[in-house]
Amino acid sequence: MTKHRGFPGRLPGTDFQFTIRRANKKGATPLIRRERYADRRPADRRADAGFMAALWAHFGEEPFERGNLDAGRLSWLFGREVVPAEDPFDPESYEAMLRINIDLARASFPEAFEDDAADWDDETDEDWDE
């Protein structure tokens, strides 16, 4: 399983996980398309936007391997903003290649593509020096 070095492990200040530490012995959790309804909690929406900002900052337009990215968090974007980059696609593989559907991602999460989106977690770093 590829570990994406430098990719944030979670949304700062929350328990919303972005990566996993180790591969599941029983195999990778399958990626599925989860429906996002209009009544989702604001915290869940922020987690999706933060994850998209991290994907964009880390991978940009290039295809990327699923690796240690959290299947649950990916599933909220899968089939819309994050799509398979290969055919045939194995949703149960850590080596599966994905890519960002840029047009749909920009429409769904415009804040993730702003110039300062890569700094979305800077406000938590200030307190660590004290």
Side-chain angles (χ1 to χ4, degrees):
M1 173 180 76
T2 299
K3 291 194 174 188
H4 299 293
R5 303 286 180 212
F7 197 90
R10 62 185 173 90
L11 183 65
T14 71
D15 288 331
F16 289 109
Q17 180 175 313
F18 288 176
T19 62
I20 58 174
R21 293 182 185 196
R22 66 188 70 80
N24 186 343
K25 294 177 185 174
K26 297 178 184 177
T29 302
L31 295 178
I32 59 170
R33 179 185 166 129
R34 291 186 173 170
E35 288 301 320
R36 296 190 312 249
Y37 296 103
D39 63 347
R40 284 186 78 208
R41 297 180 330 178
D44 293 325
R45 292 179 188 195
R46 280 192 305 275
D48 291 343
F51 187 61
M52 177 52 65
L55 288 173
W56 180 250
H58 201 77
F59 303 113
E61 296 184 37
E62 297 299 316
F64 56 93
E65 190 171 317
R66 172 186 173 177
N68 69 329
L69 299 176
D70 182 64
R73 185 58 46 206
L74 268 173
S75 289
W76 287 110
L77 307 178
F78 186 70
R80 291 174 296 266
E81 295 84 10
V82 175
V83 295
E86 61 187 0
D87 189 30
F89 177 75
D90 182 4
E92 296 183 30
S93 171
Y94 288 117
E95 290 80 32
M97 295 299 290
L98 301 164
R99 68 176 178 81
I100 297 173
N101 179 345
I102 298 169
D103 294 334
L104 188 54
R106 282 185 190 273
S108 299
F109 303 105
E111 66 277 14
F113 294 89
E114 294 174 359
D115 291 336
D116 60 348
D119 300 331
W120 56 275
D121 62 340
D122 279 351
E123 59 198 42
T124 59
D125 292 341
E126 296 171 1
D127 297 333
W128 289 101
D129 294 334
E130 295 178 9

